[in-house]
Each structure stands twice: as C-alpha cells, then as structure tokens.
Amino acid sequence: DQQVKQNSPSLSVQEGRISILNCDYTNSMFDYFLWYKKYPAEGPTFLISISSIKDKNEDGRFTVFLNKSAKHLSLHIVPSQPGDSAVYFCAADGTGNQFYFGTGTSLTVIP
Amino acid sequence: DGGITQSPKYLFRKEGQNVTLSCEQNLNHDAMYWYRQDPGQGLRLIYYSQIVNDFQKGDIAEGYSVSREKKESFPLTVTSAQKNPTAFYLCASKWADTQYFGPGTRLTVL
C-alpha cells in the first residue's frame, strides 16, 4: 500500500509562472518530509524539507507547505524556469530508518 | 571531493548470472540505502544499513543480497533469483534527516 502518493504524474507550466506540485500521505506518524528533484539517468538531488512542527519552509524560489490535518504537502516553485524541468519526488520519514517515496511528478517548464 | 559513487553507470548481464553493484561514500555517513526505480514508479527500498556489519531488508529484498564490511562501502548483489532485475538502481547515504543519492547504475539483463 502506497503511503506517500503523488497523484499527478505530469505538470506543464509556462516559464515565469508558479508550479505547484502536490503530495499526500496516509501515515500520521510521519514527522519529516522532503522533496527531491531528479533528471533522467541521474540520482535524485535533495531540494527542500519540512518538519511536522512547521507548516511552511522557504528556500529561494522553492517553498514547501505542510497541512498536517489534511496529510498533504505541496511544493511551490516561483518563478518557474526551464531548468526546473525534471521529475519531483516527495518523501516522508517516520521512523528514522527508512523514507517512503511517492511515484513522482514530471514537471515541464515551457519557455 | 566528497560524495557517493556508483559504478559502473551502465551494466549488462546475461540472465541467470549474479551481478554486484558498487556503492562507495566518503561522507562518513553511518546509514546507507539501496533503492530500485522502475518506469512510472517511485523509489522502492531494497536494503538498508544503519551501521557496519548490520543491515535490514526493505520492501523488495527478495533476490538481492548486501554486505556492509566497511563504513564507506555497501555493495548490492542482484542474484539469479531476482525475477525482474532490469532497473535503475540508486544508492544513498544519510546524514541527519536527509538522504543523499549517488548517480545510479542502470542494470540491463539480457
């Protein structure tokens, strides 16, 4: 059973606009969440994270929002750039031993 | 130049052969992980190790084996018992609350 879900396999956005990637989780014990960016045939690169004691974390153009009651997090990229085109994975850590990954959302930023 | 290395980038093997994928890190991280990625799927955990000489099965350990004799090294063996070994394999190590990934090895079994 998938404990972390990314229901949108793909997203297309115009350059300069906002990209919003969504992620849902089912396990209320998860207390730390991360977003990774991945290019084809490469390893994922850590992007941004958020602890469950916060509801927002910002790093430059990237902001992650956490809604614990809805078990939902989102990644906002503003403004979107063509170099942001990649697959984005969200991940959750609950036990400290392993992460649970979503299936990824492929973002295409159109110039 | 610190990081996680996986070699080779591409690997081809005949069906029925065991193959070992290399993962080395010089980050002094204690925990290391092996994941498998298939098209349209997320990263699925094969094995992980929190310390030297100790490792735990992940969600899809069948047909795989690992060893952790040194802190820097966590090789993964794909055995002939693994029914669908063709995939992209990712190794990671963990520091604090974040996992850091190597570049991956694409294994193709012919």
Side-chain angles (χ1 to χ4, degrees), chain A residues 32 36 38 41 43 96-97 102, chain B residues 9 33 37 42 50 94 97 99 102:
Chain A
Y32 194 74
Y36 286 85
K38 184 182 182 302
N97 287 334
Chain B
K9 181 73 172 174
Y33 304 78
Q37 187 193 13
Q50 300 284 82
K94 186 179 178 186
D97 294 318
Q99 289 188 17

Side-chain angles (χ1 to χ4, degrees), chain B residues 42-61:
Chain B
L43 279 62
R44 293 185 291 166
L45 182 65
I46 305 173
Y47 267 98
Y48 65 98
S49 169
Q50 300 284 82
I51 55 171
V52 174
N53 292 323
D54 185 59
F55 47 83
Q56 306 294 329
K57 291 182 179 180
D59 298 323
I60 56 165

Side-chain angles (χ1 to χ4, degrees), chain B residues 93-110:
Chain B
S93 65
K94 186 179 178 186
W95 175 251
D97 294 318
T98 303
Q99 289 188 17
Y100 299 91
F101 286 85
T105 292
R106 176 72 188 174
L107 172 64
T108 301
V109 175
L110 306 171

